Amino acid sequence: MKKNIILMGPPGAGKGTLAKQLKDALHLVHISTGDMFRDAIKAQTELGKLAQSYIDHGDLVPDEVTIGLVKERLSQKDCEAGFLLDGFPRTLPQAEALSEIAKSISREIDVVVNLDCDVDELVRRISGRRVCKNCGAPYHVITMKPKVEGVCDLCGGPLYQRKDDNEDALKVRLTHYEEETKPLLDYYQKLGLLASFNSLVGKENLFDEVSSFLKK
Ligand code: AMP
């Protein structure tokens, strides 16, 4: 089984939803840098204060900050069981740093799962996305409605729209993806680690395809 995994794909491709399904099914640690930053913003830590303006505008948090955060998290004992990196790396310096970190703690990357999705669908998904403030569970105003409007099915927490899920921030996020993150697909292809999946097949089919691939 492949257990040290990077999930890649543009914003809205379904990385977070898939990561939550895989984490439960395969007992892996889910490491989402976006969630870590949002938690830090909620707690108003120094990290949160620094990250907030970058995130609100759709910009990337500086590499040295993000790399330090991931290095610390990956070194923790629970990651021995295997981990899913969701939203990291997003730049070439992050990918290079990750290779070094993974080597130094003997937790090398087994595979990079890339989710393909066309831009119209990304915009549709992101503009209708709602997230639980408590547990982070994802919803959509049309395709993934909660049982009670505005309330999380899982924990009863309130649903909200992320500040960076607006049209302006999304444009910036997609540009960062095209210019800084997409080139990493080549980087991982050359290392023989890349496996791509079409995320338009629906979340249950995607989960079945990816989880059976990871179990091989
Ligand atoms: P996400 O939840 O993955 O969409 O991330 C939300 C935001 O957090 C991004 O738009 C960035 O501002 C920031 N962020 C998350 N991961 C990274 C990363 N690896 N490098 C830089 N910024 C990041």
Side-chain angles (χ1 to χ4, degrees):
M1 177 175 141
K2 302 168 188 75
K3 61 178 198 132
N4 297 338
I5 300 153
I6 298 175
L7 284 180
M8 291 197 61
K15 299 186 295 293
T17 303
L18 179 63
K20 286 185 171 68
Q21 292 168 301
L22 291 173
K23 166 193 157 204
D24 293 337
L26 306 179
H27 310 291
L28 302 169
V29 175
H30 176 201
I31 303 176
S32 156
T33 41
D35 284 348
M36 289 164 94
F37 288 133
R38 281 183 290 275
D39 287 346
I41 291 172
K42 217 192 306 182
Q44 279 295 292
T45 62
E46 285 309 308
L47 173 70
K49 287 178 197 159
L50 184 147
Q52 177 137 38
S53 64
Y54 293 102
I55 294 184
D56 286 352
H57 294 103
D59 281 319
L60 296 180
V61 177
D63 281 339
E64 61 275 17
V65 176
T66 313
I67 290 168
L69 192 69
V70 171
K71 183 173 185 184
E72 197 188 312
R73 184 65 189 93
L74 274 184
S75 311
Q76 288 170 13
K77 185 137 178 64
D78 59 346
C79 291
E80 247 171 43
F83 52 83
L84 283 158
L85 277 169
D86 160 10
F88 184 94
R90 268 175 153 100
T91 65
L92 188 58
Q94 290 181 15
E96 289 171 344
L98 176 61
S99 299
E100 289 302 310
I101 296 165
K103 207 183 289 169
S104 72
I105 56 175
S106 304
R107 292 180 189 167
E108 298 212 37
I109 302 300
D110 295 319
V111 71
V112 177
V113 170
N114 173 50
L115 304 184
D116 284 323
C117 190
D118 67 59
V119 173
D120 287 349
E121 176 67 9
L122 296 175
V123 173
R124 195 190 62 72
R125 288 184 184 183
I126 294 263
S127 53
R129 175 156 72 180
R130 299 293 181 271
V131 184
C132 174
K133 211 161 207 154
N134 281 348
C135 72
Y139 294 87
H140 188 277
V141 290
I142 294 166
T143 57
M144 225 196 293
K145 290 183 182 179
K147 292 189 187 103
V148 178
E149 200 185 324
V151 180
C152 178
D153 291 347
L154 303 178
C155 75
L159 305 188
Y160 80 112
Q161 181 171 33
R162 276 170 47 174
K163 212 170 172 180
D164 59 344
D165 278 351
N166 65 65
E167 211 178 310
D168 288 343
L170 179 58
K171 267 190 209 144
V172 179
R173 288 159 72 199
L174 287 173
T175 304
H176 282 301
Y177 174 76
E178 284 295 323
E179 292 178 357
E180 284 152 279
T181 310
K182 208 170 169 187
L184 299 185
L185 299 181
D186 250 6
Y187 174 87
Y188 285 117
Q189 174 83 58
K190 285 184 186 132
L191 292 175
L193 291 175
L194 190 69
S196 283
F197 295 83
N198 180 354
S199 93
L200 294 174
V201 295
K203 68 172 189 162
E204 292 310 327
N205 290 334
L206 181 65
F207 167 69
D208 288 344
E209 283 178 25
V210 175
S211 58
S212 41
F213 166 76
L214 293 176
K215 282 179 195 161
K216 279 181 203 152

